[in-house]
């Protein structure tokens, strides 16, 4: 009777999601016969609160499953859950989806179970669940808890370090690079040695960006013999762009010339505020440099399309059980990086070109040092903790 009731509730929930789709905020579903034939593998993408049209993290993952539908013939569903991630995961598993990607930072019900219920992963051993931005599927000894859970980690701490290096070098040379026609930078000798960070939630998936960014700022500040203030907020959410504008505005007013946002649509508000204030923003997930052209310094890219497609390919080939339960994508993999800086380069003055080339060469050299292991960056996704006292040239406010 309990099993039957669960099935009924699952169907009701799926009905809710379908109705949400009609209203423009639920699910989309498609099946395609690709080059590899008509696969019987059913794939689901569960979006986070920013939704599938976020022009970044979620949208890139959806692009990956659409590519798999076209080339591999898989059936897929994209869900923006209206009644919580755990219910969406359980309903999709109950409905026979073989591979479910969870883009939301919500793992407790999946891994440990909540409210006295068994873990969802244990309830559906024939479904493979994929978590992003953390590795919750390990016990205190570091052993795997559920064999049907894969964790995907992007080494965004490395790309964030690079963005911190870039932000500091640009801040130190802002007037030389850009002049004063389009910008209103606070001079570094008048309180302008400050940089801000806005995170959506206080989790490893967010602090991993902040810690890397901090280390990059400190690296250059120490090299130059200067000191920076670092303003940070870790609970801005992901959907309210007005919040991004408000928080970024506060940081700009406190002297910051650059604010890095890892907060979905909140970052759009921060970027708009950068243009309004004549300063700079750093965006995240996809190349959003043209969103506020000239006022977005770079974007730290987390290309979710790459792992989504690769894991689906393994499922279609029957090799998903052979994959490591933790999949990591480094700076060298190009699944994470900063942009090519082509957009911001348009705003460098003729007088600033020589300095700009020097900065880009320095950034490139540091990227190579990270890739070859010469420079090590703290990785919060692996449980590494930041020792603030080691940041001799940065004060965290």
């Amino acid at each position: 009777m309990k099993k039957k009731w669960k099935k009924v509730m699952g169907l009701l929930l799926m009905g809710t999601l379908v109705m949400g789709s009609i209203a423009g905020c639920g699910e989309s579903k498609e099946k395609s016969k690709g080059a590899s034939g008509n696969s019987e593998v059913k794939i689901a993408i569960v979006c986070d609160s920013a939704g599938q049209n976020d022009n970044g993290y979620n949208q890139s993952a959806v692009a990956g499953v659409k590519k798999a539908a076209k080339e591999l013939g898989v059936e897929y569903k994209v869900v923006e859950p209206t009644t919580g991630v755990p219910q969406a995961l359980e309903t999709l598993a109950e409905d026979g989806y073989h591979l479910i990607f969870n883009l939301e930072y919500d793992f407790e019900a999946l891994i440990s179970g909540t409210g006295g219920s068994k873990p969802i992963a244990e309830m559906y051993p024939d479904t493979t669940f994929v978590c992003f931005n953390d590795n919750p599927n390990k016990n205190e000894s570091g052993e795997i808890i559920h064999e049907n859970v894969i964790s995907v980690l992007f080494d965004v701490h490395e790309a964030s370090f690079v963005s911190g290096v870039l932000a500091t070098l640009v801040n130190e040379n802002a007037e030389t690079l850009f002049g004063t026609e389009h910008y209103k930078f606070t001079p570094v000798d008048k309180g302008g040695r400050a940089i801000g960070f806005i995170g959506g939630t206080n989790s490893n998936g967010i602090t991993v960006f902040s810690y890397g960014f901090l280390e990059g700022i400190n690296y250059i500040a120490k090299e130059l013999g200067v000191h920076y203030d670092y303003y940070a907020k870790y609970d801005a959410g992901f959907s309210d762009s007005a919040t991004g504008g408000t928080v970024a505005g506060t940081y700009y007013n406190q002297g910051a010339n650059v604010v890095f946002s890892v907060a979905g649509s909140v970052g759009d508000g921060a970027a708009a505020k950068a243009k309004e204030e004549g300063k700079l923003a750093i965006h995240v997930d996809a190349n959003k440099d043209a969103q506020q052209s000239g006022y977005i310094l770079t974007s730290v890219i987390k290309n979710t399309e790459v792992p989504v497609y690769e894991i689906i390919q393994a499922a279609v080939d029957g090799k998903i059980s052979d994959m490591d339960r933790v999949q990591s994508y480094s700076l060298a993999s190009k699944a994470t990086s900063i942009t090519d800086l082509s957009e911001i380069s348009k705003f460098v003055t003729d007088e600033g070109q020589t300095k700009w080339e020097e900065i880009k060469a320095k950034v490139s050299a540091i990227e190579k040092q990270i890739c070859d292991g010469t420079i090590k960056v703290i990785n919060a996704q692996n449980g590494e903790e930041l020792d603030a006292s080691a940041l001799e040239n940065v004060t965290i406010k």
Side-chain angles (χ1 to χ4, degrees), residues 65-85:
V65 76
K66 286 182 176 179
K67 179 182 177 182
K70 181 179 180 180
E71 298 182 3
L72 307 176
V74 299
E75 177 182 339
Y76 76 89
K77 183 191 299 288
V78 177
V79 177
E80 294 176 334
T82 57
T83 54
V85 170

Side-chain angles (χ1 to χ4, degrees), residues 1 36 45 68 82 115 179 200 229 256 272 282 286 289 314 330 364 377 387 391 394-395:
M1 183 66 182
S36 296
I45 302 278
T82 57
D229 289 333
I282 295 176
D289 294 6
S330 68
S364 179
V377 186
D387 179 7
L391 302 174
V394 177
T395 298

